[in-house]
Amino acid sequence: MIRKAEALELTERLRGLIELGPGNNQIVHGKAKRVLSTLQAAGLDPDLEGRCIELRALFDQWFSTDRWVRRPDGENVQRDLYRQLAALETVIDESYFTEDRGPLPYDEQAD
């Protein structure tokens, strides 16, 4: 399990990956997937899992070669990423995460 502060730190890492910009960047894409997997594995909350799944699909588009500007339905991918990230932070903030949980299982050295 991870602490709330650590979970929110992971969302900040995701925000930083968005800020690196879109396009075909498999290294950064892999980092985003690992962060989302860590958050997903930490949660018992179905809303947390759903948000992680949605973010993973958006990151797949963001780090693609041709689909990063607009989704097939015409929505802006970057705006959707930030919107889903804010929703994920709300879920984390309102969920079971507490400050007395165990250490963060995300290995920064793996990046």
Side-chain angles (χ1 to χ4, degrees):
M1 302 309 258
I2 64 175
R3 298 179 189 130
K4 181 187 284 189
E6 292 167 326
L8 291 172
E9 179 184 320
L10 289 174
T11 65
E12 285 303 313
R13 288 185 192 166
L14 291 172
R15 185 170 278 106
L17 296 176
I18 296 167
E19 291 169 2
L20 291 175
N24 189 17
N25 187 336
Q26 295 305 309
I27 294 170
V28 177
H29 189 196
K31 289 180 182 184
K33 287 180 180 181
R34 284 191 298 277
V35 170
L36 288 167
S37 292
T38 298
L39 286 168
Q40 216 171 344
L44 302 173
D45 188 318
D47 197 27
L48 177 105
E49 185 171 349
R51 297 291 177 190
C52 287
I53 290 168
E54 177 65 25
L55 276 164
R56 184 181 297 263
L58 289 168
F59 273 109
D60 287 347
Q61 289 180 320
W62 188 241
F63 293 117
S64 71
T65 57
D66 60 349
R67 297 176 295 151
W68 56 266
V69 176
R70 296 219 180 265
R71 295 184 356 183
D73 61 7
E75 289 297 314
N76 182 282
V77 175
Q78 184 179 34
R79 183 179 53 232
D80 287 351
L81 275 165
Y82 283 123
R83 192 177 321 169
Q84 285 297 325
L85 196 52
L88 178 63
E89 289 168 333
T90 299
V91 169
I92 290 168
D93 206 40
E94 295 174 351
S95 74
Y96 68 94
F97 286 100
T98 63
E99 291 306 319
D100 62 352
R101 296 285 169 108
L104 180 66
Y106 180 81
D107 182 6
E108 185 69 14
Q109 301 302 326
D111 294 340

